[in-house]
Amino acid sequence: MKIVKEAVAGTLESSDVMVRIAPIGGSEIDLQLNSSVEKQFGDAIRETVMDTLSKLGVTGVQLIIDDKGALDCILRARLQTVLLRASDSKELPWGALK
C-alpha cells in the first residue's frame, strides 16, 4: 500500500488514539509514540502498529501516535482508517490483515 498524502484519524479523548501519517522519502518508518500508558503497553502498541504496516507493505512513512489508553482493537481501527485515507486505495486488502 503506497501512502501518497497526509491523513489523520481518531481523537484525543480518553480511551481513544489519534494517528497521523505522512509520506517521507525512502523505505524507513518513523514511529513517534506519545502514550499515557507507554510504560505498561508501549511495546504492545509498537508491535501492533509495525505488524499492521508490515502486513500491508507500508514503508516510507512518518507516524505520530497520541494514545490516551485506547484498546488494541481501537488502535487497529484508527490505523487502518488513516492508512486508507492516506493512500489512493478505495478499500483495504482485508485478506492481508489476517
Side-chain angles (χ1 to χ4, degrees), residues 16-20 29-50 62-70 75:
D16 202 353
V17 60
M18 179 178 281
V19 181
R20 290 175 277 180
I29 295 172
D30 177 15
L31 175 58
Q32 300 174 26
L33 174 62
N34 304 307
S35 176
S36 60
V37 294
E38 186 167 2
K39 287 184 181 179
Q40 297 95 334
F41 300 108
D43 290 340
I45 293 168
R46 285 182 188 84
E47 183 179 337
T48 296
V49 170
M50 297 308 288
Q62 179 186 50
L63 269 172
I64 302 172
I65 298 178
D66 292 305
D67 174 55
K68 301 297 181 187
L75 175 60

